[in-house]
Amino acid sequence: CFNFFFFLGLDEEAKVPFYEHVLLDHMLDDFYSSGPVREFMELVMLGLTNNPYINVERKKAYIEWYLNYFKEKESILRAAGAI
């Protein structure tokens, strides 16, 4: 039996359920509940959800990077009134 995913080097990705690629909204809970940062992250999530060329681990890594970035810049965001 020929495994198409193995041929493309996607054998590990073939084990990941489809819904994990498109249901990333639960990761928004770690961000602010409203404001420009929240709106930006909603758009980031939408873009990642619609991107079939990035695996789930990389999508989660992008989201975690943004979470850490906004935490580092929290004092600046508060001063600017963004949060």
Side-chain angles (χ1 to χ4, degrees), residues 45-79:
M45 297 281 189
L46 180 63
L48 290 172
T49 297
N50 290 317
N51 191 334
Y53 303 107
I54 300 176
N55 65 24
V56 173
E57 294 305 315
R58 192 166 174 198
K59 289 178 182 183
K60 290 179 180 178
Y62 276 123
I63 296 166
E64 288 178 26
W65 184 88
Y66 278 113
L67 181 62
N68 292 331
Y69 177 81
F70 288 126
K71 282 184 180 180
E72 286 178 13
K73 306 296 181 184
E74 186 171 4
S75 62
I76 296 169
L77 294 170
R78 285 199 188 282

Side-chain angles (χ1 to χ4, degrees), residues 24-34 37-38 41 45 60 63-71 74 83:
L24 300 171
D25 292 345
H26 66 281
M27 296 187 77
L28 275 173
D29 295 340
D30 297 332
F31 291 90
Y32 307 103
S33 60
S34 63
V37 172
R38 175 65 176 225
M41 285 311 301
M45 297 281 189
K60 290 179 180 178
I63 296 166
E64 288 178 26
W65 184 88
Y66 278 113
L67 181 62
N68 292 331
Y69 177 81
F70 288 126
K71 282 184 180 180
E74 186 171 4
I83 56 172

